[in-house]
Amino acid sequence: MKKISLLMLSFLGAMALQAQDYTDALRYSESFVEGNGRYMAMGGATTALGGNVSSLSVNPAGAAVFKKSVFELSPSYQYTKSENHYTGYDRAFASKIRIPSLGLVAYKPMKQNSVFVSGLSFAFAMNAQNRYDETIQYTTKNATNSLTDDFVRLASNKKWYDNYNTLAWNTYLLDSLSDGTIYSDYIKDGVYGEYQDVTIDRTGVKREYLFNFGVDFSEWVFVGADLVFENIAYSETKKITEKDKNDNLEYLNSFTYTENLEAVGNGVGGKFGILARPIEYIRIGAAVHTPIKYNISEDYESRIVANYDKPINTAGDVTVKNKYTSSNDYKVAQPAKFVGSLGFVYKNIANVGVDIETMNYANCMYEADFDISDANETIDTTLGKVTNLKCGGEFRYGPFTFRAGYAMYGNPYKNVSGDNFYRNDYSAGVGLATNSMYCDLSWLRAKSKQTNSLYKNLAGNDLTANSTIKRDYITFTFGVKF
């Protein structure tokens, strides 16, 4: 495929296709707290019970329940399996060893006074709020379309994007006839059937550092507040490779289109909570998390590497490369969250906790020096209010504790058919405690579904692929009391 001439097309005024959308806002706003062994084993439903370092991230009043100072550390092994469906079935795997939680609580007993304060607590904790590690792969050996179809569709409509189809033009994946008609090798030869592989690698974490103050009012009412600093680190690489394995095309042998996004951000917020013990066996709690505005810095790169069976230009090249880079700074607001909790405590034998969380993702909002109004409108029409439900229990037998939990996270998308809950967590664990130390071991399986948009075909229809993500967390906690 020899390029006829470089026509005066409209890509001189090209714009970048890469832009913020509702998926970025949702990614940075969602929280699935990864905590210590007890918290994970009970599905996160330790909020009303208090006395747990990780639950301070949900209801800060839980710190006031402690009767001793503690320090704990929780390493965790995470194994992620993706089951992917495009034109067939594929699987991919990823694994990491992390430290999702650590914390220190300093407890100070008080003599009862006129306001009945019996204890104060000061705490610092680090908890992972979201984990992004996953690998997704879609492979087909009998494709009926090509990424170059999307390049041709846009170019034919006089839409040129520096990070997308302009790269295809510069690497000879697109050509033009004398009348200006844009085509590719696939369209020219009227045959597909090529090998196609799509790989999406995501890594990163959203982590929270909190400073807590709690007050115990005579062991009947507990109040607390968190000052939180949140940090986001996210990386995504999307790679689409196509190969003419059957040698159906005259020139093109293979090409790879790659997008790479690196994002870091931080934000500051607050959390306020209260726990009450109206009767001996009942615990009631409520908490509110303030909105957080994240300052995000993104570095983006897209590139194409194309390989040909014979020289493709006058320089005699058989491999041609081209890339695009950009950087953006913007702000995105995470909406407020409201938490209600209920706990049942039977002596020192059994505990049961239930948490309900609600937040409205339609309240996510971008702020930037460039026009981002379309993204905010899309958020408002695409995302909505969610309700998350967590429940868990534990049973003590001597120094041992046996635990189990279940959690359901609401679907944040409006006007979609299917499950109202798009993530389900199942968990179990065991613990051992003495007067001076404790050890907890837990397993949690998180199962969620996602849809990934690959590209559009010649008709402009969005080609999507579905994945089921299964994450297994094995968490061990070691803590000392003093």
Side-chain angles (χ1 to χ4, degrees), residues 209-252:
Y209 303 87
L210 66 84
F211 297 87
N212 172 277
F213 175 67
V215 182
D216 172 8
F217 293 96
S218 301
E219 300 186 25
W220 290 101
V221 177
F222 311 87
V223 298
D226 290 341
L227 174 63
V228 299
F229 298 88
E230 296 206 357
N231 176 264
I232 294 171
Y234 178 76
S235 176
E236 178 178 319
T237 299
K238 178 180 178 181
K239 184 181 294 185
I240 300 178
T241 297
E242 296 185 12
K243 297 180 181 179
D244 179 29
K245 284 193 171 182
N246 297 323
D247 200 24
N248 292 321
L249 304 177
E250 180 182 0
Y251 281 91
L252 183 62

Side-chain angles (χ1 to χ4, degrees), residues 388-404:
N388 306 326
L389 176 64
K390 307 175 184 177
C391 55
E394 57 184 357
F395 173 77
R396 293 193 179 97
Y397 183 77
F400 297 99
T401 304
F402 304 92
R403 305 181 176 104

Side-chain angles (χ1 to χ4, degrees), residues 466-481:
N466 299 314
S467 294
T468 298
I469 310 298
K470 298 178 180 178
R471 304 178 189 271
D472 288 289
Y473 302 85
I474 298 175
T475 305
F476 176 77
T477 297
F478 175 76
V480 293
K481 307 174 186 177

Side-chain angles (χ1 to χ4, degrees), residues 49-60:
L49 306 175
N52 183 273
V53 169
S54 296
S55 70
L56 306 185
S57 185
V58 184
N59 188 332

Side-chain angles (χ1 to χ4, degrees), residues 25-32 129-130 206 334 361 412 422:
L26 181 62
R27 178 191 308 121
Y28 302 141
S29 296
E30 283 187 311
S31 293
F32 307 101
Q129 297 289 300
N130 203 347
K206 174 182 174 182
Q334 171 185 293
Y361 289 110
Y422 85 142

Side-chain angles (χ1 to χ4, degrees), residues 45-352:
T46 61
T47 305
L49 306 175
N52 183 273
V53 169
S54 296
S55 70
L56 306 185
S57 185
V58 184
N59 188 332
V65 179
F66 282 93
K67 295 306 174 188
K68 285 187 175 182
S69 299
V70 302
F71 172 78
E72 67 175 38
L73 179 68
S74 301
S76 177
Y77 172 74
Q78 176 190 326
Y79 177 78
T80 303
K81 173 184 176 182
S82 64
E83 299 177 341
N84 311 301
H85 301 270
Y86 182 36
T87 60
Y89 174 75
D90 295 279
R91 295 181 299 172
F93 308 91
S95 62
K96 295 282 186 179
I97 295 177
R98 304 283 194 181
I99 298 180
S101 176
L102 64 85
L104 172 66
V105 179
Y107 170 73
K108 179 177 178 58
M110 304 288 289
K111 292 183 179 181
Q112 294 238 348
N113 54 33
S114 58
V115 292
F116 307 108
V117 175
S118 57
L120 299 176
S121 61
F122 305 87
F124 166 79
M126 181 276 290
N127 290 301
Q129 297 289 300
N130 203 347
R131 189 75 64 184
Y132 304 119
D133 301 328
E134 62 190 25
T135 297
I136 298 170
Q137 187 169 26
Y138 309 106
T139 303
T140 179
K141 296 180 180 179
N142 295 291
T144 57
N145 54 72
S146 166
L147 176 60
T148 59
D149 292 347
D150 200 15
F151 297 153
V152 171
R153 178 187 63 85
L154 291 169
S156 298
N157 289 299
K158 308 300 182 184
K159 295 180 179 179
W160 291 88
Y161 299 92
D162 288 344
N163 70 314
Y164 200 55
N165 57 338
T166 299
L167 298 179
W169 177 272
N170 291 336
T171 52
Y172 302 93
L173 294 179
L174 300 185
D175 200 354
S176 63
L177 300 175
S178 57
D179 63 359
T181 301
I182 304 294
Y183 70 93
S184 70
D185 267 357
Y186 294 117
I187 293 175
K188 180 189 71 173
D189 295 336
V191 61
Y192 290 97
E194 82 284 359
Y195 169 86
Q196 188 180 71
D197 179 84
V198 180
T199 303
I200 303 173
D201 283 311
R202 299 184 177 111
T203 61
V205 64
K206 174 182 174 182
R207 185 174 281 116
E208 176 184 76
Y209 303 87
L210 66 84
F211 297 87
N212 172 277
F213 175 67
V215 182
D216 172 8
F217 293 96
S218 301
E219 300 186 25
W220 290 101
V221 177
F222 311 87
V223 298
D226 290 341
L227 174 63
V228 299
F229 298 88
E230 296 206 357
N231 176 264
I232 294 171
Y234 178 76
S235 176
E236 178 178 319
T237 299
K238 178 180 178 181
K239 184 181 294 185
I240 300 178
T241 297
E242 296 185 12
K243 297 180 181 179
D244 179 29
K245 284 193 171 182
N246 297 323
D247 200 24
N248 292 321
L249 304 177
E250 180 182 0
Y251 281 91
L252 183 62
N253 177 272
S254 66
F255 75 91
T256 299
Y257 172 77
T258 304
E259 285 185 322
N260 186 68
L261 174 67
E262 302 283 343
V264 294
N266 54 75
V268 180
K271 300 179 183 181
F272 307 91
I274 184 170
L275 294 174
R277 188 177 65 158
I279 60 176
E280 181 65 25
Y281 302 120
I282 302 296
R283 306 288 189 271
I284 300 174
V288 59
H289 302 183
T290 67
I292 296 179
K293 185 177 292 184
Y294 297 103
N295 296 293
I296 305 292
S297 295
E298 284 186 351
D299 291 318
Y300 171 83
E301 179 184 281
S302 62
R303 61 185 179 273
I304 288 180
V305 178
N307 299 297
Y308 295 90
D309 293 321
K310 59 181 74 174
I312 196 64
N313 56 21
T314 55
D317 295 326
V318 293
T319 298
V320 188
K321 305 176 183 179
N322 198 228
K323 72 176 182 178
Y324 167 88
T325 60
S326 69
S327 298
N328 284 320
D329 293 326
Y330 60 91
K331 297 178 181 180
V332 61
Q334 171 185 293
K337 178 186 288 187
F338 303 92
V339 183
S341 55
L342 182 64
F344 302 89
V345 178
Y346 181 68
K347 298 181 178 179
N348 197 34
I349 299 174
N351 298 322
V352 175

Side-chain angles (χ1 to χ4, degrees), residues 402-466:
F402 304 92
R403 305 181 176 104
Y406 177 65
M408 301 184 295
Y409 293 87
N411 195 327
Y413 300 101
K414 293 180 180 178
N415 304 320
V416 294
S417 59
D419 299 334
N420 291 326
F421 297 94
Y422 85 142
R423 169 169 161 154
N424 295 269
D425 292 358
Y426 309 83
S427 57
V430 62
L432 171 66
T434 68
N435 289 330
S436 60
M437 56 80 67
Y438 56 93
C439 297
D440 297 307
L441 180 66
S442 69
W443 163 82
L444 183 143
R445 159 67 64 88
K447 182 179 179 181
S448 60
K449 297 180 180 179
Q450 64 176 251
T451 298
N452 289 290
S453 178
L454 306 184
Y455 54 86
K456 296 181 184 296
N457 61 17
L458 275 172
N461 298 318
D462 201 18
L463 299 178
T464 59
N466 299 314

